[in-house]
Amino acid sequence: MKKTILLLLLTIFNTAFSQSGKIYLKDNKFNVGKPNTYIYEPPQGLPIEDNAKANILSITSTDFSSEISPLKKIGKRFEFTTKVSDSVRVILVTINDSKKIADSNNEKGYSVLLKTENDTELGKSLVDEVFVRSNGGYFFKLKSNSKPEELIAEYDAIFAKYPKLRDDKVSLEYLYTKKSIDKEQGTKDLIAFADKCVKRNTEDYLTTAYYIYNSNNETQDQAIKLRKEISERYPKNRIDAMDFIRNFYDQPDKTEASVLESLNTFKTKFNDTSKRSLNSFYSVLASLYLDKENWEKAIACEPYLVLPADTYNNFAWGKSGGDLTMPVKNIDFATKVSKRSLDILEAKRKECYNVNYNDDFNMYADTYALLLYKQGKYDEAFKYQSEVKALNGLDAGGKERYLAMLDKVKSKDEVKAYIEDEIGKGNTSPAFLAKLKEIYIEKKLPMAEYDAIQQKTELLAKESKNKDLLEKFGSKNAIDFTLKNLEGKETKLSDYKGKVVVLDFWATWCGPCKASFPKMQHLVTKYKDKDVAFLFVNTWENGKEEDVLKKVTSYITDKKFDFNVLFDSKTEVVTNYKIQAIPTRIVIDKTGNILAYDNSNTDLGVIIDEQLK
């Protein structure tokens, strides 16, 4: 047993220090609170362009940051300088030029341990390094080990050498990883760890204990008691700061003055001027300015936003209607805002290769193309949507939008060829078949040929959808549930048999959920007197049930949405339906079988209309 542990520990050290190239602290000592300079020694024979930069990722249990630092050539080596948060123990680095990742250390990234001055600090940094590497794949698109069992083995090997770290808060991710394997035992271990944290009796450990207690129904009383103690002893504590931000989001009828007042109160009360915290206020402020078409003030918010391009795209997509038919108010301004998201992305690309460029471009360009289409600028719209297509970025709705734009600028033969190519790949939709039928009639082609294509594609689509639904849910039968609505009345899913039911899983903190609600309200109104029921399942909210009820009621009332909201307070429904992200919408037919699910509302009207025929 000891030999196995030792070998695994050596493997971890080798991952950290024996890399094909090298990155290390210039002065062999990490200066907390100050910029630090690092040396980069490329692998022998690897050319590094003059414009290359270090792409630096730092992650803690509460935050992450990605920075870019220019390389300065010193002989055969390079230097770069960056400043990270005082709590960071490990950074993950790749070397990027303008067109690619020039050195990814064999797709692992370079791990640099910052705090190694003694055995305890080295052990903590090694534990953090496992956590950072396991997340590197998500942030930097690197190869990362994310299998819980293998991560546990790595952690255990470190704890065998540094056993005291099992009681240190650095082991928190280890405990959560164990819980992902065995929920019941993992929960017990976490609560036992929280009890130890309380005995340590420092702000950091008490805060850790609070979050563990608060995440379990059985320890809510302990959480409430501890929360009160933390607030009294530490007035600037992180828990109250996060609650301040959540309460800020929940405030109805925000104005420029009220947002600025909340911003200044937050900075003064919690002595927090970090960009990630202030982003919460400036993102709302920017949205208010955009709503009023105050372009100059919106632009002025950019330096304080973590992802300004996302802010612009979310606004533009919300105004776009999300489909080809919804009208857009002030379309010229919405299009201008959308273009800004692309301009920011392009400037970032020119500065340094961005591993997330394609994903971001697909998202922003899809929005921009839709708005251009609605402006009647079909050639330009098609250009952008074609670029998204070339990057394999078209989802089902995007393909239908591409078809509409193609139909405006290309011949019927090219439109027909595109539809047939998509059908040949197993991709189809009612819009595809309707356009194909239109072409067959217009060009006086044999309708028997079209009928054969229609029957084949509908059969294949049905088989594919059934397979997908079974893989996702295990069964097509919608799981029954009973939840309380805004009025406190119990609502049972099975009571709606005989109607088409749309489940919309959402939360008040979910921006995309709320951005989709105007379109959802349009659908609710459209099908109000039909055999259709919309159930808006509020889930994954933070706080006591009475506080959540107040928050949700205020939001729905303030926005004048005519929604039947249900409360999944125990998160049982979202768990039973295997929801991994919100918004998610599930369509259930009149007999209680699941028809479809997705994270957008693009095709809901088409699906519902098919069921009402």
Side-chain angles (χ1 to χ4, degrees), residues 201-219:
N201 201 28
T202 66
E203 181 179 0
D204 241 5
Y205 278 94
L206 292 175
T207 300
T208 298
Y210 166 78
Y211 280 120
I212 294 173
Y213 289 148
N214 195 48
S215 65
N216 292 280
N217 292 330
E218 298 80 6
T219 53

Side-chain angles (χ1 to χ4, degrees), residues 551-574:
K551 183 193 309 182
V552 172
T553 301
S554 175
Y555 175 75
I556 295 296
T557 303
D558 177 51
K559 298 298 182 180
K560 297 181 173 60
F561 290 132
D562 183 20
F563 292 170
N564 186 5
V565 176
L566 309 181
F567 292 91
D568 184 24
S569 303
K570 298 180 179 179
T571 67
E572 291 177 352
V573 178
V574 75

Side-chain angles (χ1 to χ4, degrees), residues 149-391:
E149 293 81 4
E150 294 179 11
L151 292 174
I152 290 298
E154 291 191 42
Y155 281 125
D156 281 337
I158 299 171
F159 291 142
K161 185 171 178 62
Y162 307 98
K164 290 183 179 180
L165 294 185
R166 288 185 181 275
D167 293 333
D168 191 283
K169 68 185 183 68
V170 75
S171 70
L172 194 58
E173 287 302 322
Y174 164 72
L175 293 172
Y176 278 114
T177 305
K178 288 185 70 176
K179 183 180 176 181
S180 71
I181 299 173
D182 185 339
K183 184 176 181 181
E184 184 176 351
Q185 184 58 48
T187 300
K188 290 179 181 177
D189 290 344
L190 277 164
I191 292 173
F193 181 74
D195 294 340
K196 293 178 182 178
C197 288
V198 171
K199 292 178 181 177
R200 300 285 285 265
N201 201 28
T202 66
E203 181 179 0
D204 241 5
Y205 278 94
L206 292 175
T207 300
T208 298
Y210 166 78
Y211 280 120
I212 294 173
Y213 289 148
N214 195 48
S215 65
N216 292 280
N217 292 330
E218 298 80 6
T219 53
Q220 285 297 304
D221 289 343
Q222 289 159 277
I224 292 170
K225 180 182 177 183
L226 192 55
R227 169 68 184 276
K228 183 179 179 181
E229 179 183 344
I230 293 170
S231 295
E232 289 174 351
R233 289 174 59 182
Y234 309 103
K236 299 181 184 297
N237 70 84
R238 179 160 53 92
I239 304 169
D240 286 346
M242 292 302 99
D243 266 6
F244 185 98
I245 292 174
R246 276 192 289 269
N247 292 333
F248 163 73
Y249 276 130
D250 294 339
Q251 292 171 10
D253 302 323
K254 296 183 186 71
T255 63
E256 177 183 11
S258 70
V259 174
L260 290 173
E261 181 182 358
S262 294
L263 170 64
N264 290 327
T265 300
F266 178 84
K267 289 193 291 187
T268 302
K269 184 173 182 179
F270 299 103
N271 194 30
D272 185 351
T273 57
S274 66
K275 187 171 184 177
R276 191 161 297 280
S277 292
L278 300 191
N279 174 76
S280 303
F281 302 94
Y282 279 104
S283 60
V284 172
L285 197 59
S287 296
L288 286 175
Y289 293 145
L290 292 173
D291 277 330
K292 295 181 178 180
E293 299 189 19
N294 193 327
W295 185 241
E296 289 74 20
K297 283 192 172 183
I299 293 288
C301 291
E302 281 185 20
Y304 306 100
L305 299 175
V306 174
L307 296 170
D310 272 8
T311 298
Y312 291 128
N313 181 67
N314 290 340
F315 173 85
W317 179 255
K319 296 298 182 183
S320 76
D323 65 15
L324 293 160
T325 59
M326 285 283 288
V328 181
K329 291 177 63 177
N330 306 326
I331 189 168
D332 291 342
F333 183 74
T335 307
K336 178 180 180 180
V337 173
S338 179
K339 183 60 165 59
R340 180 64 178 168
S341 67
L342 285 165
D343 290 343
I344 291 173
L345 182 65
E346 184 62 18
K348 187 176 178 181
R349 185 193 66 78
K350 289 180 178 178
E351 180 184 7
C352 182
Y353 174 74
N354 174 11
V355 294
N356 296 309
Y357 175 83
N358 287 359
D359 293 339
D360 291 342
F361 177 85
N362 290 338
M363 182 166 56
Y364 304 160
D366 184 44
T367 301
Y368 188 52
L370 176 57
L371 288 164
L372 289 170
Y373 176 85
K374 291 187 175 184
Q375 282 184 317
K377 299 177 181 178
Y378 302 126
D379 288 315
E380 195 176 356
F382 180 68
K383 170 184 173 292
Y384 278 94
Q385 200 73 350
S386 295
E387 291 181 38
V388 176
K389 180 178 181 292
L391 294 172

Side-chain angles (χ1 to χ4, degrees), residues 101 113 119 125 129 131 133 174 254 285 296 338 345 354 501 515 517-519 608:
I101 298 178
L113 277 59
D119 276 356
S125 294
E129 198 236 357
F131 173 58
R133 282 192 292 107
Y174 164 72
K254 296 183 186 71
L285 197 59
E296 289 74 20
S338 179
L345 182 65
N354 174 11
V501 179
F517 278 178
K519 175 68 180 295
I608 294 169

